[in-house]
Amino acid sequence: MHIEKCSEGRDLSPATDKLWKKFYEKQFGAKNTEQVVERMRKSSKAFKWIQLYEAKLEDIAEHEKKSVARLKQLYKKEDARKQSRQVQLCTKVPPSKNKRSFCGGSGPGHNVTNLKSNLMKKSKIDFLNSHEMKNLAAMKKKPLPRNGGTSLVMKPAQFSRKDSATTSKLFKPVERKF
């Protein structure tokens, strides 16, 4: 190639065309060379092998540039996807313990943070909000008055023969102190 470039006034293609065909075949393969020869026969045009060699090199370089650009684009897209999936720091401060908890708003005093599954948290919150638990909590908050009053508890009386026909006299009130 250097010799041909330096001797611009002379046409060395009759001597070097066979060499360029060999270079082309070594560089791009016999199959590619046969395709080029077939195309030249169909179009009935003859090209110099140096021109075909340079055109093929430019085509390969262009294809490589497109491939590199496509790879760069794919890498950018993947980096953007990874950036969007990264853990991001939250600037919000969780509310204090005396307000509501994060676990479904179970209300104050209900500790359900140590439960593993959401289903268990929900069932415990439902249990803590049930009437039974509310009644127990109300009883704990409001003790019974201890003013010496007595409560009436019905105690079954002895079953006697003469009162066997009526059931209204079976129970008589018994006084108890707590």
Side-chain angles (χ1 to χ4, degrees), residues 88-128:
Q88 297 175 354
L89 295 176
C90 183
T91 58
K92 293 182 180 179
V93 179
S96 63
K97 292 258 183 190
N98 58 3
K99 292 187 180 176
R100 290 186 175 183
S101 71
F102 275 77
C103 305
S106 61
H110 299 316
N111 186 13
V112 290
T113 56
N114 59 351
L115 297 175
K116 290 182 181 175
S117 70
N118 289 335
L119 185 62
M120 288 299 294
K121 287 179 187 178
K122 186 176 186 315
S123 63
K124 185 161 184 177
I125 290 168
D126 289 345
F127 173 70
L128 293 173

Side-chain angles (χ1 to χ4, degrees), residues 9-20:
R10 295 183 185 171
D11 186 21
L12 301 178
S13 62
T16 59
D17 204 35
K18 292 179 184 176
L19 294 173
W20 281 112

Side-chain angles (χ1 to χ4, degrees), residues 136-150:
L136 286 173
M139 287 177 64
K140 286 181 184 177
K141 289 180 185 176
K142 189 173 163 185
L144 291 174
R146 296 188 178 258
N147 56 3
T150 59

Side-chain angles (χ1 to χ4, degrees), residues 63-89:
H63 183 68
E64 285 177 353
K65 284 180 184 177
K66 286 181 181 178
S67 297
V68 168
R70 192 174 346 122
L71 278 174
K72 283 182 182 179
Q73 183 68 23
L74 288 174
Y75 272 105
K76 284 182 184 178
K77 186 187 273 186
E78 185 64 22
D79 286 342
R81 187 184 71 82
K82 284 181 182 179
Q83 281 290 87
S84 69
R85 296 184 72 208
Q86 275 185 345
V87 175
Q88 297 175 354
L89 295 176

Side-chain angles (χ1 to χ4, degrees), residues 23-95:
F23 286 140
Y24 191 95
E25 191 172 347
K26 281 185 181 179
Q27 187 75 27
F28 307 117
K31 185 178 178 183
N32 222 347
T33 307
E34 290 172 13
Q35 285 178 349
V36 171
V37 170
E38 188 66 32
R39 286 182 191 161
M40 284 194 295
R41 276 189 204 147
K42 284 182 181 178
S43 66
S44 66
K45 291 184 180 179
F47 292 100
K48 295 181 183 178
W49 280 100
I50 188 169
Q51 292 172 336
L52 295 171
Y53 184 83
E54 289 173 344
K56 184 71 172 179
L57 286 179
E58 288 175 8
D59 187 41
I60 289 174
E62 184 179 327
H63 183 68
E64 285 177 353
K65 284 180 184 177
K66 286 181 181 178
S67 297
V68 168
R70 192 174 346 122
L71 278 174
K72 283 182 182 179
Q73 183 68 23
L74 288 174
Y75 272 105
K76 284 182 184 178
K77 186 187 273 186
E78 185 64 22
D79 286 342
R81 187 184 71 82
K82 284 181 182 179
Q83 281 290 87
S84 69
R85 296 184 72 208
Q86 275 185 345
V87 175
Q88 297 175 354
L89 295 176
C90 183
T91 58
K92 293 182 180 179
V93 179

